[in-house]
């Protein structure tokens, strides 16, 4: 049964981290659903730091697979690297200043449902206010900082990091494929940094429950494979101007979650 749980969580992570529908929000909601359906809580290690690091490492490998050449090319683009650093600053500040409050929200299913509606608003606004279609070489520091602020907001469970940064990129005038590329350039330090901090904490304090190796590896592999397909799908849908499809999905899931939680009170 733990293997099934791990595969489900890996699939959710692979889809929701790389599509603009919020992996954090979906993991909160799916975890609560699995608890309700099984009549018992998920094993502690499945919700622990070790599993979280494994799932995020899987999606990080997905990004590296799709954008491998582009990531290597970044080493020769000093200006773009500096803009990525600038965009990463707001999320770093918010994460450090509000760590405890944010961790509490990750146990709040109702908050995840409400924030999914926020993701829908961002996606619909991006489609309406998308700019003229510039390349990454034309990205200004002000635009990079704006995208970074949107990424900081996406720390909330239910606000999609991909949706926020791609949406902000479109509103700042980037072409769709460049908005996606920049979003996932930002994902490397964002996901990698968060995973590294959790790993360091894990090494320092240890996990309260020993993870099962096979389910953990299965979750990571599923997260990677599903992530590759999800990222390729997002790139195609952006090119076809279908970003708003995810807005309707987030609206539906958000509203259903809100009704479910209010009904359960």
């Amino acid at each position: 049964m733990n293997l099934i749980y791990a595969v489900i969580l890996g699939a959710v992570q692979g889809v929701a981290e790389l599509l603009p529908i919020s992996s954090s929000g979906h993991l909160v909601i799916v975890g609560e659903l699995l608890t309700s359906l099984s009549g018992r809580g998920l094993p502690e290690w499945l919700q622990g730091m070790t599993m979280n690091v494994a799932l995020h490492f899987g999606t990080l490998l997905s990004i590296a697979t799709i954008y491998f050449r582009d990531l290597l090319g970044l080493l020769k683009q000093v200006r773009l690297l500096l803009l990525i650093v600038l965009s990463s600053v707001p999320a770093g500040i918010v994460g450090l200043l509000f760590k405890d409050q944010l961790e509490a929200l990750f146990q709040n299913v109702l908050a995840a449902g409400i924030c999914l509606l926020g993701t829908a608003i961002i996606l619909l606004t991006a489609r309406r206010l998308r700019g003229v279609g510039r390349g990454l070489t034309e990205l200004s520091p002000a635009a990079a900082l704006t995208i970074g602020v949107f990424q900081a907001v996406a720390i909330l469970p239910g606000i999609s990091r991909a949706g926020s940064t791609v949406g902000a990129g479109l509103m700042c005038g980037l072409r769709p494929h460049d908005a996606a590329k920049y979003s996932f350039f930002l994902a490397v330090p964002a996901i990698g940094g968060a995973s590294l901090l959790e790993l360091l904490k894990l090494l320092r304090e240890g996990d309260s429950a020993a993870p099962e190796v096979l389910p953990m590896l299965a979750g990571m592999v599923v997260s990677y494979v599903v992530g590759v397909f999800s990222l390729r799908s997002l790139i195609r849908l952006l090119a076809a101007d279908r970003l708003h499809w995810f807005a309707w999905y987030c609206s539906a899931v958000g509203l259903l979650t809100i009704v479910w939680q209010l009904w359960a009170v």
Side-chain angles (χ1 to χ4, degrees):
M1 195 64 181
N2 286 350
L3 181 62
I4 295 173
Y5 283 156
V7 168
I8 291 172
L9 293 176
V12 171
Q13 172 72 16
V15 170
E17 180 69 50
L18 300 177
L19 293 180
I21 56 176
S22 177
S23 66
S24 58
H26 276 73
L27 287 173
V28 171
I29 294 168
V30 170
E32 183 66 19
L33 278 173
L34 289 175
T35 298
S36 299
L37 292 173
S38 65
R40 59 188 178 90
L42 292 179
E44 188 177 345
W45 68 269
L46 275 174
Q47 303 175 73
M49 288 186 292
T50 307
M51 190 64 184
N52 197 24
V53 170
L55 293 178
H56 279 83
F57 185 69
T59 48
L60 197 60
L61 286 178
S62 302
I63 296 167
T65 298
I66 299 298
Y67 287 114
F68 180 73
R69 291 183 180 179
D70 294 297
L71 289 169
L72 284 181
L74 274 178
L75 299 176
K76 301 177 182 178
Q77 302 179 61
V78 177
R79 181 178 183 275
L80 187 54
L81 275 174
L82 291 174
L83 290 177
I84 290 171
V85 171
L86 178 62
S87 294
S88 302
V89 169
I93 293 173
V94 170
L96 289 173
L97 293 180
F98 301 101
K99 182 176 181 295
D100 293 337
Q101 295 90 327
L102 290 168
E103 286 182 353
L105 279 177
F106 275 78
Q107 308 300 320
N108 192 321
V109 181
L110 179 59
I114 293 170
C115 286
L116 278 170
L117 298 183
T119 294
I121 292 170
I122 291 171
L123 295 176
L124 292 174
T125 302
R127 188 167 188 255
R128 179 174 291 273
L129 300 181
R130 60 189 299 177
V132 295
R134 302 186 182 95
L136 288 179
T137 56
E138 301 170 89
L139 184 67
S140 68
L145 187 58
T146 299
I147 295 171
V149 170
F150 273 79
Q151 178 169 252
V153 173
I155 293 177
L156 295 171
I159 300 291
S160 166
R161 195 211 63 82
S164 296
T165 51
V166 170
L170 293 173
M171 287 186 275
C172 288
L174 289 177
R175 293 188 294 261
H177 70 275
D178 283 316
K181 187 182 294 186
Y182 193 73
S183 169
F184 291 107
F185 283 167
L186 291 183
V188 174
I191 299 174
S195 297
L196 179 60
L197 288 175
E198 289 193 358
L199 184 59
L200 291 174
K201 185 177 180 181
L202 176 65
L203 293 173
R204 186 171 62 251
E205 301 176 0
D207 206 339
S208 58
E212 297 179 20
V213 176
L214 181 59
M216 185 182 71
L217 289 176
M220 183 177 70
V221 171
V222 170
S223 173
Y224 166 72
V225 173
V226 173
V228 168
F229 284 103
S230 297
L231 187 47
R232 286 176 174 164
S233 299
L234 175 62
I235 293 169
R236 287 196 298 269
L237 289 168
L238 273 170
D241 190 24
R242 296 292 184 267
L243 192 65
H244 60 288
W245 286 4
F246 298 107
W248 305 128
Y249 170 82
C250 288
S251 297
V253 174
L255 287 172
L256 287 172
T257 301
I258 292 169
V259 171
W260 167 37
Q261 288 301 294
L262 292 178
W263 185 269
V265 172

